[in-house]
């Protein structure tokens, strides 16, 4: 279970959510390798916090249009971070597990500046040890272009996938047209 007595961010909402995930996993026999966390905007910021501080609970993070951990400590710093003016430490919280991460951000996001995805990506890369291999590709789906950067460890195991979608605003890429904060044009990655 979540360790009592840890200092922030091992308290409050992150601790509650990690504790809930552990309880549900234990009840239904779900392993860490089958436990993921994802979110959009503030939910993405929380997913990043959970992945970085509870790598023993979550094996992967999906963050769409979120903030790096440590970029917002109060309302003024949250607005500064959202505008792309946050000062974020590149050093992640020490964790016994590197958490695989996929990031999506739109180049036209006027709510959360796209530089925040770069900050998350730097922290993910800095969480591991050793060299990494970076691969970049571009493509087009449904008339929208994207850049997809993949970081892999020396053994070829991918640990970070970072998508920048041209023209996408503050919306879930590929979401249902009747949902809020969704953009059905996508692109979303193909199912694997």
């Amino acid at each position: 279970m979540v360790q009592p007595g840890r200092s922030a961010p091992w308290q409050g909402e992150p601790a509650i959510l990690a504790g809930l995930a552990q309880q549900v996993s234990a009840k239904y026999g779900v392993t860490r390798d089958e436990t993921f966390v994802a979110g959009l905007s503030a939910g993405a910021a929380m997913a990043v916090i959970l992945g970085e501080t509870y790598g023993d609970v979550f094996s992967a993070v999906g963050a769409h249009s979120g903030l790096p951990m440590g970029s917002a400590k109060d309302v003024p710093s949250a607005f500064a971070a959202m505008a792309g003016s946050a000062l974020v430490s590149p050093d992640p919280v020490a964790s016994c597990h590197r958490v695989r991460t996929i990031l999506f951000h739109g180049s036209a996001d006027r709510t959360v500046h796209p530089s925040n995805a770069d900050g998350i990506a730097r922290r993910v890369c800095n969480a591991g040890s050793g060299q990494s291999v970076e691969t970049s590709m571009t493509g087009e789906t449904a008339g929208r272009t994207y850049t997809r950067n993949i970081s892999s460890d020396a053994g070829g195991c991918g640990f970070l996938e970072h998508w920048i979608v041209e023209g996408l605003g503050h919306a879930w890429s590929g979401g249902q047209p009747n949902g809020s904060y969704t953009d059905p044009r996508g692109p979303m990655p193909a199912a694997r």
Side-chain angles (χ1 to χ4, degrees):
M1 285 297 165
V2 175
Q3 296 179 11
R6 285 179 165 177
S7 61
W10 293 281
Q11 58 189 8
E13 291 175 354
I16 292 167
L17 293 171
L20 286 171
Q22 287 178 311
Q23 289 175 4
V24 170
S25 294
K27 181 174 181 175
Y28 294 101
V30 177
T31 67
R32 174 193 174 269
D33 290 342
E34 301 168 310
T35 306
F36 316 113
V37 60
L40 169 71
S41 195
M46 179 59 78
V48 167
I49 291 169
L50 289 169
E52 199 166 312
T53 58
Y54 293 99
D56 56 328
V57 176
F58 301 98
S59 67
V61 170
H64 199 314
S65 308
L67 298 175
M69 183 169 154
S71 61
K73 296 175 181 25
D74 53 28
V75 173
S77 64
F79 281 117
M82 290 168 60
S85 302
L87 298 174
V88 180
S89 166
D91 299 322
V93 172
S95 175
C96 58
H97 301 283
R98 170 180 263 161
V99 177
R100 294 174 296 139
T101 303
I102 188 166
L103 304 172
F104 295 94
H105 216 111
S107 67
D109 192 331
R110 303 290 178 249
T111 304
V112 178
H113 194 273
S115 64
N116 286 289
D118 298 333
I120 297 168
R122 275 192 307 277
R123 290 179 66 90
V124 171
C125 288
N126 290 341
S129 60
Q131 295 181 327
S132 62
V133 176
E134 309 296 323
T135 306
S136 184
M137 59 197 76
T138 58
E140 183 176 335
T141 300
R144 184 167 279 156
T145 60
Y146 60 86
T147 301
R148 179 179 175 212
N149 299 307
I150 300 171
S151 299
S152 303
D153 62 23
C157 184
F159 60 85
L160 173 66
E161 199 168 316
H162 180 183
W163 292 66
I164 298 293
V165 182
E166 295 300 321
L168 178 68
H170 194 68
W172 190 268
S173 177
Q176 295 294 320
N178 59 347
S180 59
Y181 296 101
T182 63
D183 185 331
R185 285 182 57 198
M188 285 299 286
R192 298 175 207 203

